Amino acid sequence: MAPLVDRVNGPLRQPRLKGSIIFPGRRAGGHGAAVLEKLHMLDFLNRAVTVDTYTLVVVAMLSGWAGVLTLHVLSRTVLALIFVPGFILGALITNYVFELTGFYPTPDRETNIVVACTLGIIFALFVLLLCLRVTAILSGLRVERHQFKRDLRRA
């Protein structure tokens, strides 16, 4: 008999792929690795499109509230609108990774979905803020470079 955790937290459907995840840039068998990467991407897209209603509601509610909080913290409507799709993607990816790896922090399936989506939104927030900071630094350097050239032309 399988452990209780596996019966309670088992995915709604079994994953079609058996094998390790191969990240880009790693050589693991040449052409076969590329085919396996495409199959993992297709499996992710299939699961992202066909998630159950409960997961969609959790992702929508958590991403919506994260967008509202981002709007109040950053005071920029456009940034909040840009961040919400990132939050949704982060929640769906983390939910998929939890199912793929079989990581279930609690014995309750619904709680695991909430935990996975929350961690995905937090991770997506860090990634989005890091990208925002990098673009601000790069644009600042570009402005300084052009401002210095303009000052040289005046002299």
Side-chain angles (χ1 to χ4, degrees), residues 65-134:
W65 278 109
V68 169
L69 290 174
T70 304
L71 174 66
H72 287 293
V73 170
L74 297 178
S75 300
R76 303 274 191 258
T77 306
V78 174
L79 279 179
L81 290 175
I82 291 173
F83 275 31
V84 169
F87 294 150
I88 293 171
L89 187 65
L92 289 175
I93 288 174
T94 308
N95 194 20
Y96 173 72
V97 169
F98 272 37
E99 280 188 22
L100 187 68
T101 59
F103 178 68
Y104 303 113
T106 67
D108 185 31
R109 181 182 171 275
E110 287 81 14
T111 307
N112 289 333
I113 290 173
V114 172
V115 168
C117 292
T118 303
L119 291 176
I121 288 174
I122 292 170
F123 182 71
L125 177 65
F126 286 137
V127 169
L128 290 167
L129 288 176
L130 181 69
C131 291
L132 187 66
R133 177 55 91 184
V134 167

Side-chain angles (χ1 to χ4, degrees), residues 17-22 36 40 100:
L17 302 175
K18 303 289 184 191
S20 62
I21 299 174
I22 301 170
L36 188 59
H40 277 291
L100 187 68

